């Protein structure tokens, strides 16, 4: 609110209390819906639409139909049955006839529904002392003698509450909607030209379509406009954050000589995939420009991100800069240093590993090599940023595993070199493009959507708990053939109510009873991180056959000899988590298997079925978005409100791409949105959005 001057105070900022038919008491009740101002009321849009043409005349209802009907309550009452069940019944009447509507076990409805009320009911028509409708859902459209409020041919249903029932809301809208819509024009921030180009209705029209659609598709058109607004506002804030980063320091202009890039190309035992080549072009273009790179590189496990990062690092080095790679754990940093070293040491480039295991004089010497610039490629964990390591000329920072590092950490590392270093963030957790655009709108996005050829896909199967013995037999065969196996559990330690097999107890059982002649290890989240590292190292060295673990193994350690991933209580895991786990096998030459053990309920069954049918991480991610919903994925649960009320990340990818382009070009032209024609937009971006945007770390 404080963002806007008194001159920009709009009618929609009025407290809802002063609207017709509201008053202090209802204003207080409206708090239960999060509505305090006229604007919030106007944006309180229906959640459901019923087409009146699908509403059946009561006289035409037949047994066996699934019917939607509207009628007035003629009489009502609670009827006890011999079984002790109390049934609320009402007789509904329209111009064509009457029907009994029955709600078994809901006698309390007798206090809610009155004679003369108008009801919308949906449910099956049964035969019970004549025709009887048993509603799955009902809506109180109007109280007593009020008009049913049937604007046009569509019945709308609002999100209502105990304090503000449906019919009250509908009454308030009936009295105020015209005025509210008129005031909405003061909020309009898009020019008629822009609206036309976008093919979207103006704000007041969009809201009118949502509240009073003539046909159901009207509501969809209105929704799209509000969705665009939401996406655009978010992208504006992210574009501002992006600009701030770019302005903090001029970007390093990398000079491409091909001195190192060419020999690496020649030395690689394979051809880059089309996706790798495309992504590298994007990265090279960023790096050789004076604009600072902030890029997210997404790719499924095994899509070849490391090779891409390596080329980017070589570009930095051949142009005379240093490149740093930051990994989430010590063991991953070591793995990277080893793999990268194998490829670049032959080219005459030394790789410096700055790990916590490096101490004393050796550490001081390494830090010194980084400071003087002798060390060209530096690999480490976040210790890289914590220990005030200073670089001679840091030109590129690669951050592995996005979700472990916050925005601030990656910025901090980039500042370590005096600022201006390009930043490439790699993530092995595929997320749908739209979700990536929404969550990381301040970054540019590169996607490796193609796997190198010749991979043997991991075979995934679903087994019931009573088939566990078969699974163990299979595990035994694989171990006998010289392979290693992961067994993953969702929890550690018995939780009181949930009857889950806990990793610690199962470890004991597997070790002493199932595989007594095999080496069985245990890894769980409550171990100290050095201990986790130690267990992982032992497994990597091949000194453990079966590793019992909780999901701490999710993040990328490569054990090529591991060929089976057995997941207990698979229904307890989210889809992308399962996919991450599956990515731990299939990294070597042998055919690999992912075995899910589960007795899934209906909801989980769908998830697990999707999972067994595809190895494509992006397909898994889209299914996850569809099944779990975007609120969950955006991590908005703790706020209690979804980040987007109107935008749908599955439907609106086109709008999101558009919104990002529009927002970025706007922020280029007018970074502070100071121009008079941006006043309405600036007001919008005030109190209403700031809080939600905090969570993106760009507030
Ligand atoms: P990611 O980091 O995305 O999980 P990596 O970069 O570790 O994937 O690559 C996985 C494996 O595939 C490595 O052994 C790598 O050498 C190999 N690889 C990478 N790119 C290709 C390619 N274009 N063709 C064949 N193999 C490749
Ligand atoms: Mg650059």
């Amino acid at each position: 609110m404080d963002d806007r001057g008194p001159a920009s105070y709009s009618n929609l900022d009025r407290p809802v209390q002063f609207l017709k038919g509201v008053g202090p008491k209802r204003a207080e009740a409206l708090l239960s819906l999060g509505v305090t101002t006229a604007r919030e009321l106007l944006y309180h849009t229906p959640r459901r639409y019923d087409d009146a043409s699908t509403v059946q005349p009561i006289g035409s209802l037949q047994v066996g139909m699934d019917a939607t009907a509207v009628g007035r309550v003629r009489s009502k009452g609670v009827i006890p049955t011999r079984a002790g069940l109390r049934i609320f019944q009402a007789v509904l009447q329209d111009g064509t006839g009457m029907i009994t509507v029955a709600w078994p076990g809901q006698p309390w409805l007798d206090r809610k529904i009155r004679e003369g009320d108008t009801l919308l009911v949906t449910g099956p028509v049964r035969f019970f002392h004549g025709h009887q409708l048993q509603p799955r859902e009902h809506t109180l459209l109007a109280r007593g003698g009020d008009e049913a409020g049937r604007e046009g041919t569509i019945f709308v249903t609002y999100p209502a509450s105990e304090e503000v029932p449906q019919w009250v809301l509908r009454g308030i809208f009936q009295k105020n909607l015209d005025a509210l819509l008129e005031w909405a024009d003061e909020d309009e921030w898009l020019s008629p030209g822009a609206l036309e180009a976008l093919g979207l209705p103006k704000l007041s029209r969009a809201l009118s379509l949502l509240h009073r659609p003539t046909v159901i598709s009207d509501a969809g058109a209105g929704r799209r406009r509000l969705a665009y607004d939401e996406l655009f506002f978010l992208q504006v804030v992210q574009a501002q954050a992006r600009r701030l980063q770019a302005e903090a320091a001029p970007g390093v202009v990398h000079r491409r000589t091909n001195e190192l890039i060419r020999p690496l190309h020649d030395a690689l035992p394979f051809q880059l995939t089309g996706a790798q080549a495309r992504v590298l072009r994007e990265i090279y273009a960023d790096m050789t420009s004076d604009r600072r790179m902030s890029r997210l590189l997404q790719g499924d496990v095994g899509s070849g991100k490391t090779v891409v990062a390596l080329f980017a690092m070589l570009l930095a080095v051949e142009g005379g800069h240093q490149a740093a790679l930051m990994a989430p754990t010590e063991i991953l940093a070591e793995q990277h240093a080893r793999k990268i070293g194998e490829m670049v040491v032959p080219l005459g480039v030394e790789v410096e590993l700055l790990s916590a295991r490096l101490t004393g004089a050796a550490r001081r010497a390494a830090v010194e090599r980084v400071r003087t610039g002798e060390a060209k490629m530096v690999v480490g964990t976040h210790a890289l940023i914590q220990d005030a390591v200073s670089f001679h000329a840091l030109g590129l920072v690669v951050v592995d595993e996005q979700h472990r590092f916050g925005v601030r950490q990656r910025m901090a590392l980039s500042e370590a070199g005096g600022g201006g270093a390009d930043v490439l963030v790699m993530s092995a957790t595929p997320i749908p493009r739209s979700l990536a655009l929404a969550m990381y709108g301040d970054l540019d996005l590169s996607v490796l959507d193609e796997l190198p050829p010749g991979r043997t896909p991991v075979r995934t199967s679903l087994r019931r708990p009573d088939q566990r013995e078969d699974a163990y037999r299979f595990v035994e065969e694989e171990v006998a053939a010289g392979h290693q196996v992961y067994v993953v559990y969702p929890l550690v330690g018995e939780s009181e109510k949930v009857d889950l097999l806990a990793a610690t107890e199962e470890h004991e059982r597997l070790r002493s009873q199932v595989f007594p002649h095999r080496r069985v290890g245990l890894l769980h989240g409550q171990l100290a991180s050095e201990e986790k590292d130690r267990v992982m190292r032992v497994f990597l060295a091949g000194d453990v056959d079966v590793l019992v673990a909780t999901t701490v193994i999710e993040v990328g350690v490569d054990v090529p000899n591991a060929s089976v991933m057995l997941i207990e209580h698979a229904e307890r895991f989210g889809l992308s988590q399962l996919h991450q786990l599956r990515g731990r096998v299939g990294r070597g030459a042998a055919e690999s298997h992912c075995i899910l053990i589960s007795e899934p309920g209906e909801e989980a069954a769908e998830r697990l079925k999707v999972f067994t049918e595809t190895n494509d991480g992006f397909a898994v991610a889209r299914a996850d978005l569809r099944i779990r919903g975007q609120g969950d994925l955006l991590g908005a649960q703790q706020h209690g409100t979804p980040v987007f009320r109107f935008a749908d990340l599955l439907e609106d990818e086109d709008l999101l791409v558009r919104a990002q382009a529009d927002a970025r070009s706007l922020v280029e032209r007018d970074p502070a949105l100071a121009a008079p024609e941006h006043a309405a937009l600036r007001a919008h971006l005030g109190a209403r959005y700031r809080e939600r945007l905090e969570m993106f770390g760009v507030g």
Side-chain angles (χ1 to χ4, degrees):
M1 291 282 171
D2 26 270
D3 273 3
R4 34 183 105 163
S8 65
Y9 185 85
S10 142
N11 277 307
L12 286 176
D13 290 318
R14 290 182 192 193
V16 74
Q17 172 175 352
F18 302 116
L19 297 180
K20 286 183 209 152
V22 183
K25 263 180 92 176
R26 278 199 175 151
E28 202 183 312
L30 279 163
L31 274 176
S32 65
L33 298 172
V35 171
T36 61
T37 65
R39 182 180 291 100
E40 283 160 355
L41 181 67
L42 182 56
Y43 276 81
H44 190 78
T45 53
R47 66 170 161 78
R48 184 186 145 161
Y49 298 89
D50 285 283
D51 192 335
S53 65
T54 67
V55 170
Q56 286 118 335
I58 289 175
S60 74
L61 297 183
Q62 299 292 327
V63 172
M65 285 172 110
D66 197 70
T68 297
V70 172
R72 205 161 258 194
V73 178
R74 282 268 319 235
S75 60
K76 57 151 199 165
V78 174
I79 295 165
T81 64
R82 241 174 287 163
L85 183 70
R86 284 158 35 96
I87 302 178
F88 174 68
Q89 279 194 352
V91 175
L92 277 199
Q93 181 177 38
D94 69 3
T96 65
M98 284 194 273
I99 190 165
T100 303
V101 184
W103 286 265
Q106 301 182 54
W108 49 272
L109 280 175
D110 195 36
R111 292 192 304 276
K112 303 270 167 191
I113 293 172
R114 301 186 194 161
E115 277 175 32
D117 286 353
T118 307
L119 293 183
L120 169 75
V121 291
T122 304
V125 181
R126 305 220 160 99
F127 187 80
F128 191 79
H129 303 300
H131 289 178
Q132 188 182 83
L133 194 149
Q134 289 200 2
R136 271 191 307 280
E137 286 187 79
H138 72 274
T139 302
L140 180 50
L141 292 177
R143 169 109 296 165
D146 288 355
E147 265 305 296
R150 192 178 134 179
E151 310 86 1
T153 58
I154 307 294
F155 291 105
V156 301
T157 307
Y158 290 96
S161 66
E162 186 70 18
E163 295 88 336
V164 192
Q166 193 61 225
W167 63 272
V168 170
L169 265 175
R170 299 172 56 85
I172 294 173
F173 277 115
Q174 230 156 47
K175 295 192 185 76
N176 295 284
L177 189 57
D178 288 329
L180 291 172
L181 290 172
E182 214 167 288
W183 295 341
D185 282 329
E186 300 168 27
D187 264 16
E188 184 59 72
W189 57 276
L190 281 168
S191 69
L195 286 170
E196 170 137 17
L198 286 161
L200 293 172
K202 66 174 184 164
L203 196 53
S204 55
R205 171 85 185 133
L207 285 156
S208 161
L209 290 171
L210 277 162
H211 285 282
R212 279 181 193 155
T214 319
V215 289
I216 285 187
S217 60
D218 280 354
R223 183 198 67 79
R224 266 176 73 82
R225 162 64 208 261
L226 299 188
Y228 176 80
D229 283 10
E230 280 182 332
L231 296 168
F232 180 81
F233 296 146
L234 172 62
Q235 291 294 331
V236 167
V237 177
Q238 289 175 330
Q240 287 174 323
R242 196 173 123 86
R243 200 187 149 85
L244 282 178
Q245 281 167 33
E247 276 175 348
V252 174
V253 183
H254 293 275
R255 205 164 42 87
R256 180 170 171 188
T257 66
N258 283 328
E259 251 170 86
L260 295 170
I261 289 178
R262 172 79 24 227
L264 180 65
H265 262 292
D266 295 343
L268 281 185
F270 49 75
Q271 288 262 306
L272 293 182
T273 63
Q276 283 171 319
R278 185 191 69 235
V279 164
L280 273 175
R281 277 196 300 277
E282 294 166 352
I283 292 172
Y284 290 163
D286 275 2
M287 288 180 66
T288 52
S289 85
D290 59 0
R291 161 159 213 127
R292 196 166 171 193
M293 174 167 78
S294 287
R295 189 169 279 282
L296 174 64
L297 171 59
Q298 269 209 73
D300 216 336
V301 176
S303 59
K305 292 181 293 297
T306 313
V307 179
V308 168
L310 182 57
F311 275 107
M313 291 170 85
L314 283 181
L315 172 59
V317 172
E318 70 180 19
H321 289 90
Q322 291 166 294
L325 191 155
M326 188 159 70
T329 64
E330 291 286 336
I331 191 165
L332 280 171
E334 283 168 33
Q335 176 178 299
H336 276 305
R338 195 176 54 248
K339 280 192 180 172
I340 289 175
E342 278 166 18
M343 290 190 268
V344 303
V345 170
L347 310 178
V349 180
E350 290 297 326
V351 178
E352 196 73 64
L353 173 65
L354 276 189
S355 89
R357 309 213 299 167
L358 196 63
T359 52
R363 181 175 186 83
R364 278 194 298 279
V367 169
E368 183 62 11
R369 283 193 293 277
V370 175
R371 196 187 61 79
T372 60
E374 190 189 329
K376 301 290 184 206
M377 288 197 180
V378 183
V379 179
T381 62
H382 52 272
L384 269 185
I385 43 175
Q386 277 170 355
D387 301 358
V389 175
S390 70
F391 286 80
H392 176 65
L394 184 59
L396 172 69
V397 175
V398 180
V399 184
D400 187 17
E401 298 291 347
Q402 158 77 13
H403 55 285
R404 294 277 172 121
F405 293 108
V407 180
R408 275 170 206 90
Q409 272 172 312
R410 87 177 122 82
M411 290 318 295
L413 184 57
S414 148
E415 303 314 330
D422 287 325
V423 178
L424 180 67
V425 179
M426 301 196 287
S427 169
T429 311
I431 53 176
R433 180 179 162 77
S434 56
L435 195 61
L437 289 174
M439 291 175 73
Y440 307 114
D442 59 321
L443 305 176
D444 290 309
L445 185 61
S446 286
V447 180
L448 287 178
D449 49 8
E450 186 185 348
L451 287 184
R455 290 281 160 79
T456 318
V458 177
R459 288 165 165 271
T460 305
S461 54
L462 180 58
R463 297 278 176 264
R464 291 185 314 270
D466 61 14
Q467 297 171 306
R468 191 176 278 118
E469 291 306 319
D470 296 341
Y472 288 159
R473 257 193 299 282
F474 181 73
V475 165
E476 174 54 33
E477 281 168 27
E478 288 288 305
V479 173
H483 295 300
Q484 289 164 282
V485 174
Y486 294 99
V487 178
V488 175
Y489 293 90
L491 262 195
V492 98
E494 280 290 352
S495 80
E496 297 162 4
K497 299 193 184 101
V498 198
D499 180 25
L500 286 181
L501 303 168
T504 40
E505 287 160 23
E506 282 302 294
H507 167 250
E508 192 44 41
R509 188 176 68 85
L510 291 179
R511 193 186 61 77
S512 59
Q513 294 165 35
V514 186
F515 305 111
H517 52 301
R518 300 294 180 196
R519 297 161 300 176
V520 181
L522 174 65
L523 184 66
H524 61 77
Q526 275 141 42
L527 295 176
S529 62
E530 301 85 62
E531 180 59 12
K532 276 185 223 159
D533 259 18
R534 195 194 59 77
V535 175
M536 229 26 240
R537 265 178 242 284
V538 171
F539 188 61
L540 184 57
D543 294 336
V544 157
D545 303 306
V546 177
L547 183 61
V548 176
T550 60
T551 51
V552 289
I553 54 158
E554 236 184 281
V555 174
V557 180
D558 247 347
V559 182
N561 192 43
S563 67
V564 180
M565 170 64 65
L566 189 151
I567 304 174
E568 289 281 357
H569 288 285
E571 77 284 353
R572 308 276 307 181
F573 293 90
L575 269 179
S576 47
Q577 226 180 351
L578 287 173
H579 187 68
Q580 284 294 308
L581 289 170
R582 178 167 61 184
R584 297 299 99 225
V585 295
R587 324 244 340 151
E591 170 159 278
S592 295
H593 302 263
C594 178
I595 304 170
L596 310 176
I597 298 198
S598 177
E599 191 117 59
E602 211 173 294
E603 182 268 339
E606 185 191 352
R607 224 172 343 123
L608 298 183
K609 180 157 180 291
V610 167
F611 186 71
T612 55
E613 284 167 358
T614 181
N615 266 301
D616 174 353
F618 287 96
V620 169
R622 275 190 301 277
D624 204 19
L625 179 56
R626 182 169 52 75
I627 296 167
R628 268 211 285 167
Q630 60 193 27
D632 216 23
L633 290 181
L634 287 167
Q637 293 311 60
Q638 74 263 37
H639 294 254
T641 48
V643 175
F644 299 121
R645 282 189 50 211
F646 299 101
D648 176 338
L649 293 177
L650 281 170
E651 294 258 310
D652 298 332
E653 188 173 311
D654 62 323
L655 280 182
L656 189 44
V657 169
R658 189 66 201 255
Q660 181 171 78
D662 292 351
R664 287 184 174 184
S665 92
L666 170 76
V667 169
E668 280 304 315
R669 279 178 282 127
D670 182 9
L673 310 180
E677 69 268 27
H678 297 145
L681 171 59
R682 215 168 52 239
H684 258 302
L685 280 169
R688 231 181 122 207
Y689 282 89
R690 187 126 310 150
E691 183 192 336
R692 294 189 198 173
L693 298 172
E694 285 283 316
M695 61 187 268
F696 290 98
V698 295

